[in-house]
Amino acid sequence: MSADRDSRRPIPDQVRRFSATELAQHWVLMVTLTVLALTGLALFAADTWLGRTLIAAEGGIEARGTIHRVAAVALMILTGWHFLYVVFTERGHGQLMAMRLRASDVRGFGRLVAYYLGRIEELPEFGRFTPLQKLQYWGAGIGSLMMIATGLVLWFHTAAMMVVPKWVFDVTTIVHGYEGLILFALLFGWHVYIVHLSPGNFPMQRTFLDGKISVERLRREHAREYRELFEDDVTPGGASGPGGAE
Amino acid sequence: MRRLLALAAAFFVADLVTAQAPPPEPNGNAAAAARQCNICHGKQEFKTVRPDGSVRPLFVDEAAIRDSVHGKWQCTDCHADVDKIPHPAPLAQVNCQRCHFGGNPVGAPERINYEGYVKSVHGRLRLAGNTKAPLCQDCHGTHGIRKHTDPTSRVNKAQVPSTCGRCHVEIYADYQRSTHGQSLLTKGNLDAPSCTDCHGEHSILAPKETASDVSATNIPETCSHCHGSMAFNTKYEIPINPVKTFKHTFHGIANELGSKKVAQCASCHTAHAVLPAADPQSSVNPANIPATCGKSGCHEGANANYARGRFHIDPTNRDSGIIYWVALFFKILTISTLAALLVHILLDLVKKLRHGHAGGHHGE
């Protein structure tokens, strides 16, 4: 596989893409959002068989609420943890910087569309995070923050309504419901398709388990990052590379 | 007391379960027979003094009996324990089941819900020895019983509130000033509910009993008998379906799933003093909303913010104002997001299936 390469360093089969901390945060997010989605959907669809089945499975309407709130607290703790991680750790801050939305992402997105429509032959070259990955991250992040904010109003409604009128509360209820539905579709539909269900990845990609990505995939889907790691004049050993810190 | 208890027990248990005593034969000469009773009971001034010192009138208006559904019967057909005159006082409680039982040969109406009565809050209290709990005659009357279709009957729809109100005094007062009471009693509008339309008749249960028609979890269904229909609501200038909109709120969902803590219809509108929100006396008038929502066990400390907004909102109705627009915005956002995600998935699928998936895992 490295016949076309001219390198003095041996190229490994896999590189580490995510640190243990990042995998742990992903696990907490995955579990809390799953619990929140199932208990939330139960209420959102309470007048359908789906809602009734979920509520029964969750131990009734009051237990459902308790489970939802416990998971919400876990999500808030995770949010605090993630915030500290991306602001105060070198590795985390580097990842956040790599995750910034830039003008090149808009161009990259346009070229991706062109690729899908058959206008260009080759998959566009992306860096560490593709435009679609950035959409997933910021969608999940901003969505979670909105869910936390609106959810707190609903949870502490008696305190909230000392300040806001009833119609704001009613609007909050609607936003929380639909925002949750959008987030559910984004992560449990789209994100799961992209990382696990799409041809080539099906039935499962192992990156979320071991944090590793095959070099072949890295070269194809993150061509610029691959070049920075293995072709450009970058110090080997990876202390400055995105896959370096563990 | 013990004798009363024994009588009550005999009345219910023995007569419900075992074969009935042979019912009386119709007697064409009822009027003549009554004349003997009238020697005493035909006198207005015929009275006795109860052991507690109160006076009990013993006059019986024979004309009222002749006008009643029982006009063709004679006194002893019901007061069967009179076998000589003068008879010992007091007589036993009249037992309606002497005639009113299934398959009775004298043609007495059989559709009488004794089983429901015995299980009802009234029947259970009476069986337990509470003589204030009503027997048949306490609601239907004694000598002047008329069919419920007769406007002068004590169990006619419009008369039921005053009949129940003889015991349930304060509830009767609340009901009389409610929109339901005003409509039925003052305007004679038979659309309005009488006591029995919500509570049932013979099988009335206490509201705290789950099976009651007016229990916390059954109230929405009971109110929906009228207010579930938009034809009905429109007739009375109620612009939205209050039951349907309630069922989509958190209160409504939790209520439907059996929570007794959350608000149901009567929690906010009261059980008996129901008035339109525009009425300053109404529990749901904006000025009274803080007190209503702030009831102990609900949203204690509720302030005027609770009244700043709409109630019974239908997010699909343009009249719902900002709620409608926000809901519409989010519906469009949700649908377009889903559509965009789906389009991407389809494009990606087509691309990868048609052109192979550029490596994937098949080298590994």
Side-chain angles (χ1 to χ4, degrees):
Chain A
M1 64 192 273
S2 56
D4 57 333
R5 289 183 30 77
D6 169 30
S7 170
R8 282 153 295 183
R9 286 179 276 133
I11 305 268
D13 281 349
Q14 291 187 314
V15 289
R16 191 156 182 93
R17 180 162 172 79
F18 294 117
S19 71
T21 308
E22 288 154 7
L23 290 185
Q25 290 184 10
H26 182 260
W27 271 106
V28 177
L29 185 70
M30 187 166 66
V31 172
T32 53
L33 287 190
T34 304
V35 173
L36 286 163
L38 290 177
T39 48
L41 201 61
L43 198 58
F44 191 86
D47 54 350
T48 67
W49 66 268
L50 176 68
R52 284 190 290 272
T53 309
L54 284 173
I55 289 174
E58 287 153 13
I61 186 77
E62 304 209 353
R64 181 218 71 86
T66 308
I67 298 169
H68 195 74
R69 290 177 180 100
V70 168
V73 170
L75 180 66
M76 286 185 265
I77 292 171
L78 171 68
T79 305
W81 177 18
H82 185 69
F83 183 79
L84 294 176
Y85 179 69
V86 298
V87 170
F88 293 111
T89 71
E90 198 176 328
R91 158 81 183 176
H93 193 67
Q95 298 299 295
L96 182 70
M97 290 297 111
M99 197 56 96
R100 275 178 305 168
L101 290 171
R102 319 180 69 127
S104 61
D105 291 315
V106 179
R107 286 196 298 277
F109 186 81
R111 297 190 60 208
L112 187 66
V113 172
Y115 168 74
Y116 277 131
L117 296 177
R119 303 263 170 82
I120 55 174
E121 283 302 307
E122 290 298 310
L123 194 64
E125 294 200 341
F126 294 126
R128 174 152 175 83
F129 296 117
T130 70
L132 291 187
Q133 285 174 330
K134 291 183 181 183
L135 269 180
Q136 288 163 68
Y137 173 80
W138 290 110
I142 294 171
S144 296
L145 289 176
M146 277 185 69
M147 292 307 282
I148 289 171
T150 51
L152 283 171
V153 170
L154 303 185
W155 184 354
F156 299 103
H157 50 266
T158 306
M161 281 185 64
M162 291 294 111
V163 188
V164 301
K166 180 179 183 289
W167 67 265
V168 172
F169 178 84
D170 293 332
V171 167
T172 308
T173 310
I174 289 181
V175 173
H176 192 77
Y178 280 104
E179 178 71 31
L181 197 63
I182 293 173
L183 203 54
F184 180 78
L186 199 72
L187 297 179
F188 295 88
W190 196 46
H191 175 67
V192 167
Y193 167 80
I194 290 173
V195 296
H196 296 310
L197 304 181
S198 60
N201 295 350
F202 188 82
M204 187 177 87
Q205 217 186 157
R206 295 184 54 85
T207 308
F208 82 109
L209 294 174
D210 56 18
K212 291 177 181 160
I213 183 173
S214 75
V215 166
E216 200 182 333
R217 180 187 295 279
L218 185 74
R219 195 169 49 131
R220 188 174 69 248
E221 295 179 3
H222 304 278
R224 274 194 281 123
E225 184 185 10
Y226 174 85
R227 277 206 309 277
E228 281 164 20
L229 280 177
F230 298 112
E231 292 181 358
D232 292 354
D233 190 20
V234 173
T235 315
S240 65
E246 284 174 31
Chain B
M1 194 62 199
R2 190 168 298 160
R3 188 158 162 264
L4 266 174
L5 266 174
L7 273 173
F11 170 73
F12 287 105
V13 183
D15 287 340
L16 271 176
V17 180
T18 61
Q20 310 292 319
E25 293 293 319
N27 187 333
N29 209 6
R35 239 167 265 145
Q36 286 182 294
C37 302
N38 280 344
I39 295 168
C40 298
H41 291 284
K43 291 179 182 141
Q44 289 273 8
E45 64 278 13
F46 187 40
K47 289 169 189 163
T48 188
V49 176
R50 294 191 183 95
D52 66 3
S54 63
V55 174
R56 180 184 181 186
L58 295 171
F59 168 70
V60 176
D61 181 2
E62 197 195 341
I65 300 175
R66 297 296 157 231
D67 264 3
S68 80
V69 291
H70 295 133
K72 66 179 177 180
W73 302 102
Q74 40 172 308
C75 309
T76 50
D77 290 336
C78 297
H79 297 285
D81 51 341
V82 176
D83 52 5
K84 59 178 187 277
I85 294 177
H87 59 82
L91 292 180
Q93 187 82 51
V94 166
N95 178 357
C96 303
Q97 289 178 93
R98 280 173 56 78
C99 293
H100 294 279
F101 60 88
N104 72 77
V106 299
E110 297 164 14
R111 287 175 50 248
I112 290 177
N113 187 352
Y114 293 114
E115 287 83 359
Y117 173 77
V118 170
K119 289 177 195 154
S120 78
V121 65
H122 293 147
R124 278 179 289 140
L125 285 172
R126 187 76 189 205
L127 268 176
N130 183 339
T131 53
K132 284 181 181 166
L135 280 171
C136 315
Q137 43 271 61
D138 289 307
C139 300
H140 290 271
T142 51
H143 296 126
I145 293 179
R146 290 157 185 265
K147 285 190 173 170
H148 71 92
T149 47
D150 182 332
T152 62
S153 165
R154 287 170 60 169
V155 293
N156 177 268
K157 177 164 176 169
Q159 301 297 328
V160 160
S162 71
T163 300
C164 301
R166 288 167 59 221
C167 296
H168 301 282
V169 180
E170 286 169 11
I171 290 172
Y172 183 39
D174 277 351
Y175 173 80
Q176 276 180 300
R177 66 186 178 84
S178 77
T179 188
H180 294 149
Q182 287 173 28
S183 298
L184 180 65
L185 303 178
T186 313
K187 299 175 194 154
N189 182 349
L190 293 179
D191 276 2
S194 190
C195 315
T196 46
D197 289 308
C198 302
H199 292 272
E201 296 166 356
H202 298 105
S203 46
I204 290 177
L205 297 176
K208 63 175 182 290
E209 296 175 75
T210 311
S212 165
D213 286 340
V214 293
S215 72
T217 44
N218 285 342
I219 271 273
E221 166 64 20
T222 298
C223 296
S224 80
H225 293 166
C226 296
H227 292 290
S229 144
M230 268 325 279
F232 180 93
N233 290 321
T234 310
K235 186 174 171 187
Y236 294 102
E237 294 169 9
I238 299 168
I240 35 83
N241 186 325
V243 184
K244 202 176 124 203
T245 47
F246 167 74
K247 284 187 183 290
H248 285 107
T249 65
F250 182 75
H251 290 154
I253 293 168
N255 174 274
E256 183 135 323
L257 292 164
S259 170
K260 290 174 181 160
K261 288 197 319 200
V262 292
Q264 25 78 10
C265 317
S267 316
C268 307
H269 294 275
T270 77
H272 299 108
V274 180
L275 283 168
D279 189 313
Q281 298 287 312
S282 168
S283 60
V284 293
N285 181 275
N288 300 326
I289 284 279
T292 299
C293 299
K295 279 196 288 198
S296 91
C298 297
H299 305 283
E300 283 169 59
N303 58 18
N305 278 337
Y306 282 70
R308 297 197 179 110
R310 294 159 196 266
F311 291 84
H312 291 280
I313 311 159
D314 175 5
T316 64
N317 188 331
R318 202 179 270 254
D319 293 336
S320 304
I322 187 166
I323 307 294
Y324 167 78
W325 294 109
V326 170
L328 184 68
F329 170 78
F330 271 95
K331 260 178 235 170
I332 294 170
L333 184 67
T334 306
I335 290 169
S336 44
T337 307
L338 286 177
L341 301 184
L342 209 61
V343 164
H344 171 251
I345 289 173
L346 288 175
L347 283 173
D348 192 72
L349 265 177
V350 167
K351 193 81 187 170
K352 285 182 175 158
L353 292 177
R354 190 178 288 170
H355 300 283
H357 31 83
H361 286 205
H362 41 228
E364 296 163 24

